[in-house]
Structure formats: C-alpha cells, structure tokens
Amino acid sequence: MMENKDNLLRELHDLYNESAVGFRDRLCDDFNWSIPTYYRKMRLKKKEDVIRTGLSNVEKEKISQVALSMQKEFQEKIFNLIKHC
C-alpha cells in the first residue's frame, strides 16, 4: 500500500489540516481553555452597538506569539516536504 509520503498533495493537505487543530490545541493548553471555550472566544460580541472580540490584551499577545512560533515550524515542515519530493 502506498504511504502518504509518496503523495506531496496529500502530505501538504494533511499538514494544513493538522496545523489548524494544533493551533487550537496549543492555545487551549496555554490558556487552560476547553475546546468549547476556544470556539466561544472566536465569536464577536456586541455590546451597546460596539462589536468586540472579547479577548484581553494579554490573550491577544499570547495568541500572536503562538501564531508566529507555529508559522516558523509550519514553514520548515513545508520546506522539508518539498525538498524531499
């Protein structure tokens, strides 16, 4: 049976899917959030005709740090996949 590593398209597809779940899981671990809390935090909140994210400045900063860190890891993985195909 052919493995995923023989199919660059499949490898990249799986990597993109895993990155979204990995991002969610990492934030849940860092903030001690449940998965439902993570999705609630994504919703916009409207109060007195003002739309807000409901995220604190500390949360925004940590989310940015995680995103930048994961971006570097993601780029390295893509580079290695393409390099070895």
Side-chain angles (χ1 to χ4, degrees):
M1 186 166 141
M2 187 168 35
E3 295 182 29
N4 281 350
K5 69 180 181 178
D6 295 328
N7 186 331
L8 179 61
L9 177 60
R10 181 58 188 231
E11 284 277 322
L12 289 170
H13 175 84
D14 290 347
L15 181 61
Y16 275 95
N17 282 333
E18 291 167 10
S19 70
V21 172
F23 180 71
R24 180 199 68 198
D25 291 348
R26 186 155 164 196
L27 289 177
C28 286
D29 286 345
D30 287 355
F31 289 117
N32 197 27
W33 290 342
S34 65
I35 292 174
T37 297
Y38 171 85
Y39 286 104
R40 273 194 304 275
K41 292 280 190 174
M42 286 193 338
R43 288 189 217 135
L44 295 175
K45 297 179 180 182
K46 184 176 181 182
K47 185 176 183 180
E48 299 175 8
D49 294 330
V50 176
I51 297 175
R52 301 168 18 133
T53 65
L55 295 171
S56 71
N57 288 337
V58 171
E59 289 170 328
K60 290 176 189 177
E61 180 64 30
K62 181 64 177 177
I63 291 166
S64 297
Q65 290 171 359
V66 168
L68 290 173
S69 171
M70 290 187 74
Q71 178 190 13
K72 289 177 186 176
E73 296 168 13
F74 188 72
Q75 286 176 322
E76 289 174 13
K77 289 178 183 179
I78 289 175
F79 177 76
N80 287 329
L81 280 174
I82 292 171
K83 180 176 152 182
H84 291 104
C85 76

